[in-house]
Amino acid sequence: MPSTATLADFEDDSVSDAAGIAMPWSLTLKDARALDDEDLAALDDLMRRAGDSHSGNVFFEPRAVLASCPLSKQPIHWLLWSQQNRLCFAAPVVVRRVGGFSFLKIWTHTYAPLGTPLIADPFQADALLDELARQGFSAFVCPWLEADSILAKAVKNRGAQLQGFWSGQADRVVLTSDWTQASALSKQRKKKLRKMQRQIPLVHTVLQGSEAQNDGFRQFCDLEAMGWKGAAGSALKQTETALNFATELVAGHAARGTLSIDSLDDPARTGDQAVAMVVSFAQAGRGVVWKIGHHTDYDAVSPGYQVILAASERFTAAGTAISIDSLAGPEHPMVGWLWPGRLTVGTLTIPLGNSALAARSLSRFYAAETRLRSMARALRQRLRG
């Protein structure tokens, strides 16, 4: 029989491969660096099923998670939960300890601001959360969790006593299927757009698959570095770890057929013709607009704004239900007014067992941390002018 994990397995923040409860359930906590081919195949299958059922997370590509390990101060592990011999829940996590309490926190970072776990049938939230409590954990912290996600709804259904553990809730701007350019733009904005299009006619193309992964992504990285992110030293190509993560993320989605790069080109321009580019990931109508870059020489015709319009029209052209997360708040100067849809995300601290007091303290801590981060971000924006 495999051994059951206890808190003794987590001394000095090192985590052994926990395994072991009798079927029909199986819980594993496995180092991200130790995934074998069978683990990767199971995660790939879950990524597909979760995405098709609108319970996925585009940032949880296993190889991209591995590439992000240098960004974390703690070892990153995969929390894997199987029922009926099939993986139905997965999330990269770090194990943290405060005082005498141990808790799991889903791994998110600057380049992957979404903590919604991968979930597919036959998932049962109560069984997973109860088992985590039996393993000795006091809380399960889910940052940047979608408020209408399966996990959030399941926690709410566990009982009224679990209310009040959200912190840092905020709206993000989303593109929905009812969006049209005609309704989004005022007469004045339409007139200005037509003037810009006459001034410099730009051609919209969509790169996908290996074309997007290779030449397309290389062009995007060059383009991003030319803008304010390059000046600030935060462009992807300027940080080795960020570029490694991005490269693996793009490669994973290219292989799945869920990567697209919308590009605006100037036919009159020689050489590298990309004027503006948007990198996005989408599956079954759900996804994110991840990165945008534009050529500063074309600022007079707002190429970033134009490429977002082009991508918006492409996403909504199919006429099916969509929800494309901008990863930006309503105050964003480009999409805040352009896309009226809103999605609420926040940090949900789920108490496990009889640890409501510890979980509530953690929730208050993360609420304070969110406020400090917001203040720092606002200060940076003011200093940038």
Side-chain angles (χ1 to χ4, degrees):
M1 289 289 293
S3 62
T4 300
T6 67
L7 288 180
D9 294 314
F10 304 105
E11 293 297 331
D12 301 321
D13 290 330
S14 63
V15 185
S16 63
D17 286 351
I21 52 179
M23 296 305 295
W25 301 326
S26 175
L27 176 68
T28 304
L29 196 62
K30 192 162 189 176
D31 192 312
R33 298 164 297 183
L35 296 182
D36 56 27
D37 290 343
E38 184 177 350
D39 296 322
L40 291 172
L43 280 169
D44 283 341
D45 176 64
L46 180 59
M47 282 281 292
R48 177 187 57 77
R49 292 186 291 126
D52 287 343
S53 62
H54 301 159
S55 303
N57 188 326
V58 300
F59 297 117
F60 287 172
E61 281 284 345
R63 295 161 188 83
V65 170
L66 176 61
S68 74
C69 284
L71 295 169
S72 176
K73 295 180 180 179
Q74 290 90 22
I76 299 173
H77 291 74
W78 277 94
L79 178 64
L80 306 173
W81 175 254
S82 298
Q83 291 184 215
Q84 301 173 18
N85 290 315
R86 195 171 194 188
L87 188 64
C88 60
F89 178 101
V93 299
V94 293
V95 180
R96 305 191 67 177
R97 299 166 73 169
V98 176
F101 299 100
S102 295
F103 63 96
L104 295 170
K105 183 180 182 183
I106 292 181
W107 168 236
T108 61
H109 52 90
T110 301
Y111 306 103
L114 183 62
T116 300
L118 304 173
I119 292 177
D121 288 338
F123 176 66
Q124 295 178 8
D126 285 346
L128 169 63
L129 298 176
D130 290 345
E131 179 58 27
L132 290 176
R134 280 192 292 270
Q135 296 291 341
F137 294 106
S138 298
F140 185 33
V141 181
C142 309
W144 299 117
L145 179 71
E146 296 177 6
D148 64 350
S149 63
I150 288 178
L151 184 61
K153 290 178 180 177
V155 170
K156 184 177 181 180
N157 291 337
R158 279 170 71 90
Q161 73 274 16
L162 296 184
Q163 300 302 307
F165 291 90
W166 282 101
S167 61
Q169 282 191 297
D171 285 341
R172 290 215 290 224
V173 179
V174 296
L175 176 68
T176 53
S177 50
D178 57 353
W179 182 92
T180 64
Q181 181 173 308
S183 62
L185 303 186
S186 65
K187 290 183 179 180
Q188 184 178 3
R189 290 185 187 276
K190 291 174 184 176
K191 182 178 179 180
K192 185 176 181 180
L193 177 61
R194 288 193 296 268
K195 181 180 178 180
M196 291 188 298
Q197 291 174 335
R198 287 194 302 269
Q199 184 178 349
I200 304 179
L202 300 176
V203 178
H204 176 219
T205 58
V206 182
L207 308 178
Q208 295 178 316
S210 60
E211 184 181 16
Q213 177 187 350
N214 299 320
D215 290 345
F217 185 60
R218 176 191 58 78
Q219 286 188 45
F220 171 79
C221 289
D222 292 340
L223 200 58
E224 183 192 47
M226 293 174 56
W228 69 265
K229 286 191 175 181
S234 59
L236 289 173
K237 67 182 296 183
Q238 293 173 303
T239 306
E240 182 179 3
T241 301
L243 184 59
N244 287 343
F245 167 77
T247 299
E248 292 294 343
L249 184 65
V250 165
H253 282 284
R256 294 181 191 282
T258 51
L259 164 68
S260 297
I261 299 181
D262 289 85
S263 177
L264 290 186
D265 304 325
D266 179 2
R269 182 179 175 82
T270 58
D272 189 346
Q273 294 185 335
V275 171
M277 304 181 89
V278 170
V279 182
S280 59
F281 312 116
Q283 180 177 347
R286 301 295 180 96
V288 304
V289 168
W290 184 50
K291 291 287 183 180
I292 183 171
H294 74 275
H295 201 299
T296 54
D297 287 353
Y298 288 77
D299 281 352
V301 294
S302 302
Y305 163 57
Q306 289 201 54
V307 77
I308 283 290
L309 280 178
S312 301
E313 292 194 300
R314 176 178 65 83
F315 277 122
T316 55
T320 56
I322 63 169
S323 178
I324 307 299
D325 187 352
S326 69
L327 305 178
E331 72 283 354
H332 192 278
M334 185 182 298
V335 294
W337 62 269
L338 184 62
W339 294 356
R342 297 295 182 263
L343 169 72
T344 301
V345 298
T347 297
L348 178 61
T349 302
I350 305 172
L352 302 173
N354 298 316
S355 61
L357 182 60
R360 194 177 300 279
S361 297
L362 275 176
S363 184
R364 289 171 179 167
F365 168 80
Y366 286 117
E369 182 183 59
T370 299
R371 287 194 295 270
L372 289 174
R373 289 181 182 273
S374 296
M375 292 170 60
R377 184 166 55 251
L379 179 60
R380 285 196 302 268
Q381 289 173 348
R382 284 199 298 268
L383 291 175
R384 227 172 18 232

